[in-house]
Amino acid sequence: MHLVNLICEHAVKAYSTIYVNLIVSFQMSVEVERKFLCNADILKTLEEIGVCVGQRQFRDQYFDNPSFDLTLRDTWLRKRKGCWELKCPITANVTEEPSGVQSEGAALCSRYREITNLPEIQRRVKDVLKDICGDGETDAGRSQGDESWLSEMNLVCFADFTTVRQSFTLEEKGVQIDLDQADFGYHVGEIEVLVPEAGDVQSALEKIERTAGKLGLTGDQQVDGKMHVYLQRNHPEHYARLLREHVL
């Protein structure tokens, strides 16, 4: 009987591990995105070839410790509409041409792994801050509303702003176009494709390039995102450090 109970116990633990891994995998994707400045001509084209799928407003709060150990590693911890998200950089070698140089279109796109599973977010943040947090355990069973882990890791809010977003879809499957108006006076557009973890990033880049062509986007300079402009205006020292470390 003892042997049966032991086998059952191991089976339950194995199932729990598999279940957690599945949950994490479903809540992790790669966001491939190109930003652009939307003028009247681009907006007119977008309204002609796209379908507006709605408008919404949301508040973003970004967190880091006083030494900026997360953002200096291009890791962005965000709370949006009460839910936690973590954006981590991924390598871009899949976008290189035979010459070993990225194509012009690929160079204009950002690629981040996007994680929405709270225990996984806490684990990854702790990995980045391990030299500061020590070896203490973080309770993986905490709910979205329990934010005591922030103080344990010495994380504070360094950016807080609200965005009004209008979203469009095109015939190109999986492509979404967002027009954002931030409450600090910055307007920016984004062409976005989400792919599963280990998905086809190259295909996403090609979709974005085709969509940019349909919108008539020109130029080979990267457009600043909302966070770039927010930090430049509100926290110039933080912004300068990120520039020095080639994060921005």
Side-chain angles (χ1 to χ4, degrees), residues 192-212:
E192 178 184 285
V193 177
L194 285 177
V195 297
E197 178 76 1
D200 191 350
V201 174
Q202 181 60 42
S203 175
L205 289 165
E206 292 169 358
K207 288 181 179 181
I208 289 175
E209 193 163 357
R210 286 194 296 270
T211 301

Side-chain angles (χ1 to χ4, degrees), residues 117-211:
N117 176 270
L118 182 56
E120 179 67 8
I121 288 172
Q122 292 170 338
R123 185 186 71 79
R124 292 193 178 229
V125 169
K126 185 181 176 184
D127 283 345
V128 175
L129 304 178
K130 57 187 176 183
D131 294 334
I132 299 166
C133 296
D135 297 324
E137 291 297 322
T138 300
D139 184 1
R142 289 174 176 158
S143 65
Q144 289 277 352
D146 183 355
E147 298 183 354
S148 59
W149 59 281
L150 294 174
S151 58
E152 291 171 8
M153 297 187 189
N154 199 24
L155 298 170
V156 294
C157 180
F158 67 88
D160 188 340
F161 55 86
T162 299
T163 300
V164 175
R165 168 171 290 178
Q166 190 175 17
S167 298
F168 294 81
T169 58
L170 304 180
E171 290 183 359
E172 183 88 62
K173 185 178 179 181
V175 178
Q176 179 165 305
I177 300 172
D178 296 324
L179 302 182
D180 286 354
Q181 300 181 39
D183 62 3
F184 53 89
Y186 186 58
H187 297 187
V188 67
E190 303 172 347
I191 306 172
E192 178 184 285
V193 177
L194 285 177
V195 297
E197 178 76 1
D200 191 350
V201 174
Q202 181 60 42
S203 175
L205 289 165
E206 292 169 358
K207 288 181 179 181
I208 289 175
E209 193 163 357
R210 286 194 296 270
T211 301

Side-chain angles (χ1 to χ4, degrees), residues 54-70:
Q55 179 173 298
R56 61 193 178 105
Q57 179 175 298
F58 51 86
R59 177 188 181 189
D60 283 329
Q61 294 172 284
Y62 286 81
F63 293 79
D64 203 344
N65 65 10
S67 301
F68 311 129
D69 289 292
L70 289 179

Side-chain angles (χ1 to χ4, degrees), residues 2-27:
H2 175 71
L3 179 59
V4 172
N5 290 337
L6 188 61
I7 292 173
C8 290
E9 183 180 339
H10 283 296
V12 169
K13 287 182 179 179
Y15 175 79
S16 299
T17 300
I18 293 171
Y19 178 77
V20 169
N21 288 339
L22 283 173
I23 292 296
V24 170
S25 67
F26 284 132
Q27 293 182 297

Side-chain angles (χ1 to χ4, degrees), residues 94-108:
V94 294
T95 67
E96 290 179 353
E97 296 182 335
S99 62
V101 179
Q102 290 190 77
S103 68
E104 183 177 282
L108 296 175

